[in-house]
Amino acid sequence: MFVKIKEFFSVQLSIEENSDPQQQLQLAAAALLIELSRADYRRDREEQIAIEAALKKSFSVTDEQLTALIELAEEENQQATSLYEFTKLVKDNYSAEQRFELVKMLWEVAIADGEISKYEDHLIRKIADLIYLPHSDFIRAKLAVIKA
């Protein structure tokens, strides 16, 4: 598993082993978005498109890098036993504004299929708590996406 992550970062994104942890955060964010798309027990094409758009917009990756990032995030997500490994990276390395933007991305994926299920709402609430996003920002992110 770690070999694949190292290979992805070194080959696909031309990142050296001791580089800025920002690229690891891309993987964590992608894994959280993928986990959210599974929260309501169905994967909609609209949600997949929203994930791709959010990652491309936030991280400025090429289509090839995006595909590799999503594949690796899918694999990491399936092997993960909890959200902790992803949320800890985000909590420890993202600024308050970046955490807010991540929660906005989660809401964008949740609403992509036209409805926000109670499972999606619960998971976003849980992630927001784990990354220490204040409840007021959680609500502000939701309203920003719904009104857009």
Side-chain angles (χ1 to χ4, degrees):
M1 168 174 79
F2 292 112
V3 173
K4 286 185 180 185
I5 293 171
K6 190 174 176 181
E7 178 183 316
F8 171 76
F9 289 128
S10 63
V11 175
Q12 291 295 327
L13 297 177
S14 302
I15 297 169
E16 296 185 23
E17 188 175 8
N18 295 321
S19 68
D20 183 14
Q22 188 65 25
Q23 279 65 24
Q24 293 175 338
L25 293 171
Q26 291 178 354
L27 180 60
L32 290 171
L33 292 170
I34 289 166
E35 180 66 23
L36 178 67
S37 72
R38 295 180 176 151
D40 60 1
Y41 302 103
R42 63 176 201 267
R43 300 270 321 252
D44 296 316
R45 180 69 186 134
E46 295 87 3
E47 290 176 342
Q48 184 64 32
I49 291 168
I51 290 170
E52 292 170 6
L55 292 173
K56 211 167 188 185
K57 176 183 168 190
S58 294
F59 302 129
S60 302
V61 292
T62 66
D63 289 339
E64 183 178 295
Q65 291 169 332
L66 178 65
T67 301
L69 177 61
I70 289 174
E71 286 175 7
L72 186 57
E74 290 268 3
E75 188 175 310
E76 284 293 305
N77 189 278
Q78 289 176 354
Q79 293 178 10
T81 56
S82 73
L83 298 174
Y84 178 77
E85 62 191 87
F86 306 123
T87 58
K88 181 173 179 6
L89 270 173
V90 171
K91 178 183 67 74
D92 291 347
N93 296 287
Y94 270 20
S95 68
E97 184 59 33
Q98 289 171 313
R99 292 191 312 265
F100 174 79
E101 289 300 320
L102 175 61
V103 171
K104 271 181 58 177
M105 289 185 341
L106 290 164
W107 284 118
E108 289 168 357
V109 171
I111 204 165
D113 62 359
E115 65 176 304
I116 299 172
S117 77
K118 64 183 178 181
Y119 305 110
E120 291 168 328
D121 185 85
H122 173 75
L123 183 59
I124 297 171
R125 197 175 295 265
K126 182 177 181 178
I127 291 169
D129 286 344
L130 290 170
I131 64 174
Y132 294 1
L133 186 75
H135 187 70
S136 59
D137 287 344
F138 166 81
I139 297 298
R140 190 167 56 98
K142 182 177 184 177
L143 292 176
V145 171
I146 290 173
K147 291 180 181 179

